[in-house]
PDB file of all heavy atoms in Angstrom:
ATOM      1  N   VAL A 824     105.627 119.442 125.689  1.00 95.00           N
ATOM      2  CA  VAL A 824     106.490 118.706 124.814  1.00 95.00           C
ATOM      3  C   VAL A 824     106.161 117.214 124.865  1.00 95.00           C
ATOM      4  O   VAL A 824     105.526 116.743 125.770  1.00 95.00           O
ATOM      5  CB  VAL A 824     107.995 118.953 125.178  1.00 95.00           C
ATOM      6  CG1 VAL A 824     108.356 120.426 124.957  1.00 95.00           C
ATOM      7  CG2 VAL A 824     108.283 118.533 126.595  1.00 95.00           C
ATOM      8  N   THR A 825     106.640 116.501 123.903  1.00 96.00           N
ATOM      9  CA  THR A 825     106.403 115.093 123.765  1.00 96.00           C
ATOM     10  C   THR A 825     107.727 114.319 123.710  1.00 96.00           C
ATOM     11  O   THR A 825     108.661 114.754 123.096  1.00 96.00           O
ATOM     12  CB  THR A 825     105.622 114.765 122.479  1.00 96.00           C
ATOM     13  OG1 THR A 825     104.400 115.521 122.493  1.00 96.00           O
ATOM     14  CG2 THR A 825     105.238 113.283 122.388  1.00 96.00           C
ATOM     15  N   LEU A 826     107.766 113.167 124.398  1.00 97.00           N
ATOM     16  CA  LEU A 826     108.928 112.255 124.322  1.00 97.00           C
ATOM     17  C   LEU A 826     108.431 110.917 123.800  1.00 97.00           C
ATOM     18  O   LEU A 826     107.388 110.378 124.272  1.00 97.00           O
ATOM     19  CB  LEU A 826     109.617 112.108 125.703  1.00 97.00           C
ATOM     20  CG  LEU A 826     110.549 113.220 126.137  1.00 97.00           C
ATOM     21  CD1 LEU A 826     111.048 112.870 127.569  1.00 97.00           C
ATOM     22  CD2 LEU A 826     111.685 113.366 125.213  1.00 97.00           C
ATOM     23  N   CYS A 827     109.219 110.315 122.866  1.00 98.00           N
ATOM     24  CA  CYS A 827     108.874 109.037 122.309  1.00 98.00           C
ATOM     25  C   CYS A 827     110.016 108.069 122.496  1.00 98.00           C
ATOM     26  O   CYS A 827     111.181 108.423 122.246  1.00 98.00           O
ATOM     27  CB  CYS A 827     108.611 109.146 120.801  1.00 98.00           C
ATOM     28  SG  CYS A 827     107.361 110.403 120.353  1.00 98.00           S
ATOM     29  N   CYS A 828     109.732 106.865 122.927  1.00 98.00           N
ATOM     30  CA  CYS A 828     110.730 105.814 123.137  1.00 98.00           C
ATOM     31  C   CYS A 828     110.372 104.583 122.296  1.00 98.00           C
ATOM     32  O   CYS A 828     109.245 104.091 122.350  1.00 98.00           O
ATOM     33  CB  CYS A 828     110.825 105.421 124.614  1.00 98.00           C
ATOM     34  SG  CYS A 828     112.194 104.310 124.992  1.00 98.00           S
ATOM     35  N   PHE A 829     111.334 104.098 121.530  1.00 98.00           N
ATOM     36  CA  PHE A 829     110.993 103.025 120.610  1.00 98.00           C
ATOM     37  C   PHE A 829     112.202 102.056 120.439  1.00 98.00           C
ATOM     38  O   PHE A 829     113.305 102.480 120.182  1.00 98.00           O
ATOM     39  CB  PHE A 829     110.597 103.610 119.188  1.00 98.00           C
ATOM     40  CG  PHE A 829     110.287 102.539 118.190  1.00 98.00           C
ATOM     41  CD1 PHE A 829     109.179 101.760 118.346  1.00 98.00           C
ATOM     42  CD2 PHE A 829     111.098 102.398 117.050  1.00 98.00           C
ATOM     43  CE1 PHE A 829     108.835 100.763 117.409  1.00 98.00           C
ATOM     44  CE2 PHE A 829     110.756 101.406 116.113  1.00 98.00           C
ATOM     45  CZ  PHE A 829     109.631 100.620 116.295  1.00 98.00           C
ATOM     46  N   SER A 830     111.932 100.782 120.609  1.00 97.00           N
ATOM     47  CA  SER A 830     112.918  99.740 120.353  1.00 97.00           C
ATOM     48  C   SER A 830     112.467  98.981 119.055  1.00 97.00           C
ATOM     49  O   SER A 830     111.375  98.375 119.026  1.00 97.00           O
ATOM     50  CB  SER A 830     112.985  98.761 121.541  1.00 97.00           C
ATOM     51  OG  SER A 830     114.018  97.818 121.356  1.00 97.00           O
ATOM     52  N   GLU A 831     113.331  99.027 118.053  1.00 95.00           N
ATOM     53  CA  GLU A 831     112.956  98.555 116.724  1.00 95.00           C
ATOM     54  C   GLU A 831     112.851  97.000 116.703  1.00 95.00           C
ATOM     55  O   GLU A 831     112.027  96.441 115.976  1.00 95.00           O
ATOM     56  CB  GLU A 831     113.981  99.024 115.678  1.00 95.00           C
ATOM     57  CG  GLU A 831     113.606  98.649 114.265  1.00 95.00           C
ATOM     58  CD  GLU A 831     114.579  99.260 113.245  1.00 95.00           C
ATOM     59  OE1 GLU A 831     115.463  99.996 113.667  1.00 95.00           O
ATOM     60  OE2 GLU A 831     114.377  99.030 112.074  1.00 95.00           O
TER      61      GLU A 831
END
Side-chain angles (χ1 to χ4, degrees):
V824 294
T825 304
L826 280 176
C827 307
C828 187
F829 180 64
S830 187
E831 185 174 357

